[in-house]
Amino acid sequence: MSSIDETGLQPPYPLHSSIKDKLDPAYVSFYNAHIFDKQQVHLQPVSASRTSGILIPGGGPKLPVGKTEDIQIQRKQTEGPDVPIRVFTPEGERPVDGWPVMVYYHGGGWVLGNIETENTVCTNLCKRARCVVISVDYRLAPEDPYPAAVHDSWEALLWLQSTGFSLLNLNPSKVAIGGSSAGGNLAATMCHKALSSPSLVPKFKRQLLIVPVTDNTAFPSSTPSWKENEFSPALPAEKMMWYRRHYLPDKKTWAEPEASPLLYEDGWGEQPKALVVVGELDVLRSEGREYAEKLKRNGVEVDLKVMKGMPHPFLAMDGVLQQGRDTITFMIEALKEGFA
């Protein structure tokens, strides 16, 4: 059965009968007013989705920061073009020992999104947590499938350790990492990958994983939230598979730890303290929760938040959803605690 069985290939797309009564009323109201009649990205060409405007409607405004600067990073270990990053610096005088720094990876299923996608989140973190935020504009599938995004994410960390700390007047003892959805996948992978090269990349005080993809082997037949929320709006199971097939066209790579960080066999006890936020009605809920529980079993402190009545994209809908605003506040509190 497909999530389009009740709706067809073209809009409008009414909320599926299996999920509509479970959703938070604020989401339902906004969906029916602003999303109901929009084409779904997995039912049109990638190029159309990239040029159709705002990736997820309902976002709040960007906050003013001291400076925003775009930089091109030259590679050290991998092949490819320079990696673009955007650096958000707070207003006011920097601390004597340098700014704390947060490395952030945006969402979009490794297929959509860019350096503009989550500027609202980044400016909130910058202004309210008083830290520099570095947003990484990693390459996207299908043009550049796995492991291109992993390579670009890693190059950003190599640059930060070798050049960024001094160039941007940062404090190397106060570094955090995080991201949402596909970006949460990349952030989690970087935390594991960093253990193999501790002298080449920063040591992280915190990891912030918001609705992360942690298991690219998950299916409705094997994973509770994939079955329960198979027809959830914004990220139904078939849309997640659309992303996966673009990013991981070779099924043999689906279980590789750098694609599915939940499947790393070791290094769990050496992970940084984590904030993990999942949506109750997201297909990714189970793997996010399982990732948090695996950290806990290995002695890592974890703050796990389950946002009731929420499908996948609530972080990006902070302009209309309290749960989105709350999640940004959770992130800021985690950063403040980690940088104290």
Side-chain angles (χ1 to χ4, degrees), residues 44-294:
Q44 64 182 355
V46 170
S47 59
S49 295
R50 289 179 179 165
T51 58
S52 60
I54 297 172
L55 183 58
I56 300 171
K62 293 183 289 185
L63 298 186
V65 298
K67 182 172 68 171
T68 302
E69 180 181 10
D70 290 347
I71 298 174
Q72 299 286 326
I73 293 175
Q74 293 187 341
R75 294 175 184 272
K76 294 182 177 297
Q77 291 186 357
T78 62
E79 295 183 358
D82 292 351
V83 180
I85 63 170
R86 177 164 292 173
V87 181
F88 302 88
T89 302
E91 298 170 310
E93 187 175 350
R94 73 172 182 269
V96 174
D97 54 358
W99 291 110
V101 58
M102 166 73 173
V103 181
Y104 191 83
Y105 303 104
H106 67 77
W110 312 279
V111 175
L112 306 176
N114 54 44
I115 207 164
E116 305 288 345
T117 301
E118 295 187 42
N119 285 351
T120 293
V121 175
C122 291
T123 55
N124 266 271
L125 301 182
C126 176
K127 184 177 182 67
R128 296 167 60 192
R130 298 284 298 159
C131 66
V132 165
V133 177
I134 297 175
S135 178
V136 182
D137 195 14
Y138 54 87
R139 287 172 293 170
L140 302 175
E143 297 87 350
D144 294 290
Y146 171 87
V150 174
H151 289 171
D152 295 359
S153 300
W154 182 248
E155 290 290 351
L157 300 181
L158 295 172
W159 175 87
L160 179 57
Q161 181 78 350
S162 65
T163 305
F165 285 137
S166 57
L167 179 67
L168 302 175
N169 298 301
L170 306 177
N171 185 339
S173 68
K174 295 183 178 181
V175 185
I177 190 169
S180 69
S181 194
N185 167 278
L186 294 169
T189 297
M190 292 303 103
C191 286
H192 283 277
K193 192 172 172 64
L195 299 178
S196 64
S197 303
S199 65
L200 298 181
V201 297
K203 182 175 177 61
F204 305 116
K205 288 285 190 180
R206 291 291 185 276
Q207 57 179 320
L208 280 54
L209 309 179
I210 314 303
V211 293
V213 184
T214 70
D215 183 5
N216 267 309
T217 69
F219 283 103
S221 60
S222 63
T223 308
S225 63
W226 274 65
K227 181 61 176 177
E228 295 166 18
N229 305 320
E230 185 172 0
F231 308 116
S232 186
L235 191 65
E238 70 170 67
K239 183 177 178 182
M240 187 61 221
M241 290 303 303
W242 180 83
Y243 285 130
R244 183 186 295 173
R245 286 190 293 267
H246 281 310
Y247 181 54
L248 300 163
D250 182 354
K251 289 185 178 181
K252 294 192 295 293
T253 64
W254 290 7
E256 290 184 7
E258 289 190 356
S260 296
L262 181 63
L263 305 185
Y264 273 99
E265 294 183 357
D266 49 29
W268 289 91
E270 302 169 77
Q271 294 296 298
K273 183 175 178 178
L275 168 69
V276 180
V277 185
V278 299
E280 179 192 22
L281 304 180
D282 186 2
V283 293
L284 303 179
R285 186 197 70 225
S286 294
E287 61 200 77
R289 181 189 287 275
E290 190 174 350
Y291 197 88
E293 291 172 350
K294 196 166 185 178

